[in-house]
Amino acid sequence: MRRHCENLQKFGVPVLICVNKFPTDTAAEYALVQEKCSDFPNVFGCVLGDHSAKGSAGTEDLANAALDIIASGGTYRPLYDHASLTLTEKIETIATEIYRANHVAYSAEALTTLKSLQQDYGHFPVCIAKTQYSFSDDPSKLNAASDHTLSVSQVHLKAGAEFVVVQCGNIMTMPAFLTGMLPLAWQPFFQQQERNSFSYSIASFTTTTATALGPLQFGYNPIESRPTRFTKQKTNPFLPCFPKTRCHYQL
């Protein structure tokens, strides 16, 4: 908790802590938690929330404290200027300032991707994907880990959302269009044909009556930075979820 308060201070935003109240807790426990939290840096206040038992009526103290913290002001500032720093500088700023790492190690694949993205997408902010159990990329390093090495394994561009995802350690991200929407048995593979157009083919079907698909073509508009055309060369009844004129899923 202290580490989180320290990190939020770097954004210029004061912290309001709510301690959830439950029937099995004691008054002594509440007093101890409030005392410790009030000593954390950048903490505006620490209040009890009894919403689990009383609903909205149990959050009146929290609501009043929130109004007070809003009235007190505060000037938000980002951790870095995403327009002036390189992608690697942004990653290293987050690694040292937020995760307290003393070094960032990149895989060969990650370095190659960062280099290829820097010219056209270097002004994008970065989004770190890592374990939620630690300030490092190692879930076994609990609490406020520091002086560790943050290992960057993969980097992915999200052009439509305008940010770059940086995967650290062994972390699985939420599946997207190709892997999440299509059955795994279809085994799709994705290949970049040229800078602004992509295609993939379905390699196999488990259904005996189904035939191989493809190629399925996606048009890519560099101005909108998102897919704008979907065409299917072969009509297939097994793909009712695919839009016929527009792909709403980001590649």
Side-chain angles (χ1 to χ4, degrees):
M1 179 68 77
R2 176 182 292 274
R3 176 68 62 82
H4 288 306
C5 294
E6 292 172 354
N7 286 343
L8 287 172
Q9 189 174 26
K10 298 179 180 181
F11 294 87
V13 178
V15 176
L16 174 62
I17 298 175
C18 176
V19 180
N20 293 339
K21 188 176 181 180
F22 295 99
T24 55
D25 299 334
T26 65
E29 289 174 326
Y30 293 137
L32 178 61
V33 171
Q34 287 183 291
E35 178 186 357
K36 293 297 183 182
C37 289
S38 298
D39 290 337
F40 291 161
N42 195 41
V43 172
F44 182 87
C46 180
V47 298
L48 296 179
D50 198 10
H51 40 280
S52 63
K54 299 180 181 179
S56 59
T59 63
E60 288 185 10
D61 291 341
L62 176 62
N64 290 328
L67 291 175
D68 291 340
I69 198 173
I70 293 172
S72 68
T75 304
Y76 167 78
R77 59 180 180 272
L79 185 66
Y80 58 79
D81 181 3
H82 64 82
S84 62
L85 299 183
T86 65
L87 292 174
T88 54
E89 288 173 335
K90 296 167 192 177
I91 295 170
E92 289 159 10
T93 297
I94 296 174
T96 56
E97 295 292 330
I98 302 299
Y99 302 139
R100 306 300 200 277
N102 55 18
H103 180 66
V104 179
Y106 300 91
S107 69
E109 177 186 354
L111 280 176
T112 300
T113 305
L114 286 168
K115 184 177 180 181
S116 66
L117 294 179
Q118 180 57 47
Q119 180 176 351
D120 293 331
Y121 305 101
H123 60 288
F124 282 4
V126 297
C127 175
I128 307 295
K130 54 177 284 299
T131 177
Q132 71 271 33
Y133 298 111
S134 174
F135 276 95
S136 71
D137 57 54
D138 183 352
S140 66
K141 294 182 178 179
L142 304 180
N143 299 320
S146 59
D147 299 327
H148 55 88
T149 297
L150 189 71
S151 301
V152 176
S153 53
Q154 297 182 54
V155 177
H156 302 285
L157 171 67
K158 302 299 180 182
E162 297 190 354
F163 61 84
V164 174
V165 175
V166 179
Q167 292 184 225
C168 297
N170 184 19
I171 186 70
M172 178 183 294
T173 57
M174 183 176 291
F177 179 62
L178 295 183
T179 57
M181 298 299 292
L182 296 177
L184 294 178
W186 292 2
Q187 297 295 320
F189 61 89
F190 188 60
Q191 177 184 9
Q192 182 173 348
Q193 289 187 324
E194 57 187 22
R195 180 172 178 176
N196 288 321
S197 68
F198 301 86
S199 72
Y200 73 90
S201 301
I202 305 302
S204 63
F205 257 175
T206 55
T207 307
T208 56
T209 57
T211 56
L213 298 179
L216 304 179
Q217 299 290 335
F218 291 84
Y220 193 85
N221 188 324
I223 298 177
E224 293 186 3
S225 296
R226 67 189 65 192
T228 57
R229 185 180 70 257
F230 181 94
T231 58
K232 187 172 53 179
Q233 290 188 357
K234 292 185 178 181
T235 302
N236 193 293
F238 296 96
L239 297 177
C241 61
F242 283 132
K244 296 182 178 179
T245 57
R246 183 176 178 88
C247 175
H248 294 277
Y249 295 90
Q250 177 188 314
L251 300 180

